[in-house]
Structures are given as C-alpha cells and as structure tokens.
Amino acid sequence: MRLRTGAVLAVLTAALAVSAIAGLALGPVRIAPGRVVDIVIGGLSGDRPTGAFASIVWDVRMPRILLGAVVGAGLAVAGTVLQALVRNQLADPFLLGASSGASAGAVLVIVFGSAAAGFGMGVPLAAFAGSLAALVAVYAMARRGGTMTTGRLILAGVAVQYILSALTSLVLVLAAHPDQLRSVLFWTLGGLGGARWDELALPTVALLAGGALLLTLARPLDLLLAGEEGAHTLGLDTGRFRAAVFVLTSLVIGVLVACSGAIGFVGLMVPHAARMAVGAGHRALLPVAALGGAVFLLLADLIARTAAAPEEIPVGVVTALVGGPFFLWMLRRAGRTEGVTG
C-alpha cells in the first residue's frame, strides 16, 4: 500500500507540474513551454527576467495558477473529510451547501458591509460563518431519529442551496453599483481571474494548517467509517469530534470560497477517484486528494481560459459541466439509499 501510495503521489506531482506549465504557457498570449520554464527558474533563482512574457508569467498567470492549486487541493480535502463525517460518498462542500453558504456570507459583506470588508478579514469571516451555518443546517435536517439517508442528505443540501441562492439573488437585486453586481456574479459562478500575489497568503495558510490538522485526525476519521458503535467502543466521542471537524472544515471552505467564489463538484469527484487509487485510509487518502484536486482545478481553469478565447468561461461552469453527470452516475450507482447512523 505504501509503495502504491508513493507511486500515485509521484504521478500526481508530475501531473501538477505539467498542468502548471501548461497554465502558464497557454492563454490569449501563448508562450513556449521552454521559455516559461526559463522564466520560472530565473525568477526563483532571484534573477527575474524582464519583458512582456516575464510580466505575463509572473504578474498575471502565476498567482492564478497558485490560487487554483490551493483552492483545488483545499476543496478536495474538505470533500474527503465531509464524506467521512456523514459517511456518504455523495457529500461535497457544494452539494451540502457549504460553498453556497460561504458565498452568501461573502456577498452580504461586499454589498452591505463595505466598511467591514475594508479591513481585509470581513469577507473571509463572513464566508466562514455562512459555510458553518449551512453545514450545520443540512446536517440537522438530514439527521432524524439517529439515522441519515443519502436521499435525505441530498434533499437537505438542495433545500439549503435554494434558500441561499434566493438570498444571493435578492442581494443581487438590491446591489446599487455595477461593480457590486460583478462581484456577486463572481461569487455565484466561481473564478480565479482576480488572483493577486498579496491575496495568496491567507488561503495558503488555511490549506496548510487545516490540512495538517486534518491529517493528524486520519485515524478518528477512519473510525467513523466503521460505524457509530465501533467508534464509541474504541473511545471516540463522535458528537464532539464531528462538531470540531465541521468547524475546522467550514473555516477552510470559507477562506477558499472568499478567494475563488463557489466552485462545485471538486470535493465530490476527486475524493472518489483518490479512494479508488489508494483505498479509504485517510492517512494516504488526504494527500492524494489534495494533489488530485490541485491538478483537476488547474486543468478546469485552463479549459475555462482557452475553450472560448478570447472570452473566459467561469471555472465553476466547467467543473459543473463535468461534475453534474458524474454526480448523476454516482447517484444511479448507489441504487437504493440506506440509513446511516449519524
């Protein structure tokens, strides 16, 4: 298993490097991959090249690539953890309303709380609060009588998404300025086009710190997969553990959505593929999901930037076009839903 996990991580690392180079090279202005490598190596060595190509690579595309990798990895890790918490492989930050809640919270601050947003932390904090509130609401509605079914979980997630979408639409109607309208549309569709160097620190810290903490919780997450009774027998307080991890996961999702808007289905598809590659053990699953999520979102963003050039498609539209059919396939494959003690 260790050998297989190492091989998968090596392949994903190589794929991430190739995806990053492709993202830096392709766009309205195409740059030869060799030239891109020279520019990157020169910049990392402290002798940053000058010229138009160097400016495009370092000032425009590099922040976007780094943000895409961080957001993709974070959403995949969050999806993996949520699937363990609710013991359902159809769980996802987007489907459970976490991304929509984070988006709604951020939009409210952007439109009605410009003073709070000006301090820099208003939007991320509002996104975190919205994400946590949505997850708690969905979990409370889906869990009834000590059991949780796939159908009830999905219906609860859809209901919360409808409410949050209506709230966001109301905010869109009430927005007074065109700039606010564009910001609201950005949050609802997701995108990486606004990435800047000075905005990378917060999502990167959230991913590294949150991912490291979640990795230390790999064994309790594995115990949850064995069922409530088994986890209790082995000394895990499932109620407190779920609550703590819900808060931590919501924090990560909120920060990421505050930087990229609501991007769906990354946390659904990538954990499923990672589980097929290395199994259900979270010590191997979480790093593989993180790398897989980074690769997937970079490729989705590359398609978004080049498929309809010079126009740019929101990356959330691309992930939804791929993830929607995948979700329907998983739903059909699941067959009849079964109760899950929760």
Side-chain angles (χ1 to χ4, degrees):
M1 176 62 74
R2 288 183 179 179
L3 180 61
R4 184 173 69 177
T5 301
V8 172
L9 289 173
V11 170
L12 287 175
T13 301
L16 181 60
V18 172
S19 301
I21 293 173
L24 293 172
L26 300 177
V29 176
R30 299 205 171 194
I31 306 172
R35 178 61 175 155
V36 168
V37 173
D38 291 339
I39 293 172
V40 172
I41 293 176
L44 293 176
S45 65
D47 184 20
R48 177 176 167 177
T50 59
F53 284 170
S55 179
I56 291 172
V57 169
W58 277 106
D59 299 330
V60 178
R61 294 180 183 173
M62 184 66 79
R64 182 170 187 152
I65 293 299
L66 294 177
L67 180 61
V70 168
V71 171
L75 291 177
V77 168
T80 303
V81 172
L82 288 176
Q83 289 173 9
L85 290 179
V86 301
R87 293 179 57 203
N88 194 309
Q89 293 186 17
L90 294 176
D92 165 79
F94 187 78
L95 295 174
L96 294 188
S99 294
S100 300
S103 181
V107 166
L108 286 171
V109 171
I110 289 172
V111 176
F112 298 117
S114 57
F119 289 102
M121 293 300 295
V123 173
L125 288 175
F128 160 65
S131 173
L132 179 60
L135 279 177
V136 171
V138 170
Y139 184 75
M141 287 189 291
R143 184 176 184 268
R144 186 176 63 189
T147 62
M148 182 187 304
T149 66
T150 298
R152 194 182 301 151
L153 183 68
I154 294 171
L155 289 175
V158 170
V160 169
Q161 282 194 68
Y162 272 125
I163 295 172
L164 293 172
S165 295
L167 176 61
T168 304
S169 298
L170 177 62
V171 172
L172 182 63
V173 172
L174 297 177
H177 304 291
D179 289 342
Q180 292 179 337
L181 294 175
R182 286 193 291 270
S183 296
V184 172
L185 288 176
F186 164 78
W187 290 110
T188 57
L189 298 176
L192 305 173
R196 299 186 305 182
W197 280 107
D198 58 354
E199 296 177 349
L200 289 176
L202 185 60
T204 302
V205 170
L207 171 64
L208 295 178
L213 285 173
L214 291 171
L215 190 59
T216 64
L217 300 176
R219 184 174 180 275
L221 289 171
D222 290 342
L223 293 180
L224 281 181
L225 299 179
E228 290 287 306
E229 293 184 3
H232 274 300
T233 302
L234 294 172
L236 179 65
D237 186 337
T238 56
R240 290 185 177 181
F241 178 74
R242 276 199 176 100
V245 178
F246 264 133
V247 172
L248 177 58
T249 306
S250 298
L251 178 60
V252 174
I253 295 171
V255 171
L256 296 178
V257 172
C259 297
S260 67
I263 299 175
F265 296 102
V266 178
L268 171 68
M269 294 183 290
V270 174
H272 184 73
R275 202 174 287 110
M276 293 176 63
V278 296
H282 286 83
R283 187 168 298 278
L285 183 60
L286 289 174
V288 170
L291 281 175
V295 172
F296 174 74
L297 193 55
L298 287 186
L299 293 177
D301 185 55
L302 182 60
I303 294 172
R305 289 193 289 120
T306 59
E311 298 295 327
E312 182 175 318
I313 303 170
V315 68
V317 173
V318 177
T319 60
L321 288 174
V322 178
F326 182 86
F327 173 72
L328 293 175
W329 172 77
M330 284 194 65
L331 190 61
R332 180 175 180 179
R333 184 170 175 263
R336 293 183 177 180
T337 58
E338 296 180 359
V340 177
T341 302

